[in-house]
Amino acid sequence: MNDPGVIEKIAAEVKRRLEGEGSGHDWWHTYRVWKISRHIGIGEGADLFVIELAAFLHDIADHKFHNGDLTVGPAVARQMLAGYSLPDEVIDHVCDIIGTMSYKGAGVKTDMRTLEGKVVQDADRIDAIGAIGIARAFAYGGYKNRPIHVPGEEPILHQSKEAYFKSNGASINHFYEKLLLLKDRMNTEMAKKIAEYRHMFMEEYLNRFFKEWEGDL
Ligand code: ADP
Ligand code: NI
């Protein structure tokens, strides 16, 4: 049997490490991904133990803060999980999910191998869209000193992860390069439904944004 106390202990350690992070990858993002993952995971009849561990650990060492290196996250997660007595299959599964999850550009596939991976990836992507997604996009842009919008600067549909990781356009372009594309990339039916609502809200937001940009009162 898996010890349910492991999840609480891992959550507490993640909270301690990510609290106060200012780029939108903070503890509260992890907390929301955990909640959404549980919700979808229960609906899908997936293995909640794996889902909860992967949700809590998924941003413990994001590639964006390690020169695009996608191996650091799973390695740090593995180190943390090694402190508990867990079956190797669980640790391998969780680390595999963490290593595959990230969005890597409009033209790059990021297929998940297992149902649990699909669920956590969906939850991470749901937290990137809607009202929360809008807040995170501008928080991230501000953290990177980027302008909110530069008229005439076109979005880029990146065809490689290297190009996507290097991009540094205005925050508004991120909506066209990622956020508006996510609803069609959800894995589970439940996530597709949630994404529809959040997508509509972002479209409405962008309509208003461009109107107000031109002084339309
Ligand atoms: P994932 O969790 O799929 O790896 P990222 O780590 O790339 O996604 O992005 C996490 C958050 O940071 C998202 O909410 C996203 O909106 C925001 N973000 C990432 N890149 C940019 C960018 N270039 N401009 C604005 N926001 C960004
Ligand atoms: Ni995330």
Side-chain angles (χ1 to χ4, degrees), residues 1 4 12 18 27 45 55 62 74-75 92-93 96 121 135 149 158 168-169 171 176 186 193-194 204 214 217:
M1 264 306 280
L18 297 184
W27 158 252
D62 194 277
D92 290 345
H93 192 173
D96 182 58
Q121 187 180 54
H149 174 45
H158 303 98
N168 59 0
S171 299
Y176 301 91
M186 294 295 163
K193 288 212 181 79
I194 303 169
E204 193 185 321
E214 291 304 331
L217 308 174

Side-chain angles (χ1 to χ4, degrees), residues 24-25 29-30 33 55 58-59 62 101 124-125 127 136:
H25 289 80
H29 160 64
T30 293
V33 170
H58 86 276
D59 269 342
D62 194 277
M101 257 175 79
D124 192 33
R125 292 181 171 180
D127 201 60
R136 291 182 71 213

Side-chain angles (χ1 to χ4, degrees), residues 25 62-64 102-103 124 128 136-137 140-141 146 164 171 174 178-179:
H25 289 80
D62 194 277
H63 62 81
K64 277 198 274 329
S102 280
Y103 183 80
D124 192 33
R136 291 182 71 213
Y140 185 84
R146 293 186 186 151
Y164 175 68
S171 299
H174 189 61
K178 174 181 175 188
L179 309 187

Side-chain angles (χ1 to χ4, degrees), residues 14-30 32 59-62 64-66 136 139-140 143-144:
V14 172
K15 182 166 192 239
R16 193 170 47 72
R17 289 196 191 203
L18 297 184
E19 224 158 19
E21 211 276 342
S23 73
H25 289 80
D26 56 318
W27 158 252
W28 292 110
H29 160 64
T30 293
R32 293 188 301 268
D59 269 342
I60 194 68
D62 194 277
K64 277 198 274 329
F65 310 111
H66 296 91
R136 291 182 71 213
Y140 185 84
Y143 172 82
K144 289 279 197 177

Side-chain angles (χ1 to χ4, degrees), residues 55-148:
F56 278 127
L57 289 166
H58 86 276
D59 269 342
I60 194 68
D62 194 277
H63 62 81
K64 277 198 274 329
F65 310 111
H66 296 91
N67 290 320
D69 187 345
L70 291 161
T71 64
V72 183
V76 173
R78 186 174 290 278
Q79 222 173 27
M80 285 171 67
L81 291 168
Y84 302 90
S85 93
L86 292 167
D88 286 347
E89 307 89 78
V90 169
I91 298 183
D92 290 345
H93 192 173
V94 170
C95 294
D96 182 58
I97 293 174
I98 297 169
T100 325
M101 257 175 79
S102 280
Y103 183 80
K104 302 179 182 73
V108 187
K109 281 183 145 241
T110 47
D111 291 340
M112 273 297 180
R113 283 178 271 274
T114 63
L115 176 60
E116 289 70 25
K118 290 179 203 284
V119 169
V120 184
Q121 187 180 54
D122 279 356
D124 192 33
R125 292 181 171 180
I126 282 174
D127 201 60
I129 61 178
I132 293 277
I134 294 169
R136 291 182 71 213
F138 291 113
Y140 185 84
Y143 172 82
K144 289 279 197 177
N145 271 326
R146 293 186 186 151
I148 55 175

Side-chain angles (χ1 to χ4, degrees), residues 146-155 169-173 209-210 213:
R146 293 186 186 151
I148 55 175
H149 174 45
V150 178
E153 185 186 292
E154 295 295 323
S171 299
I172 274 290
N173 282 352
F209 182 97
F210 290 115
W213 190 271

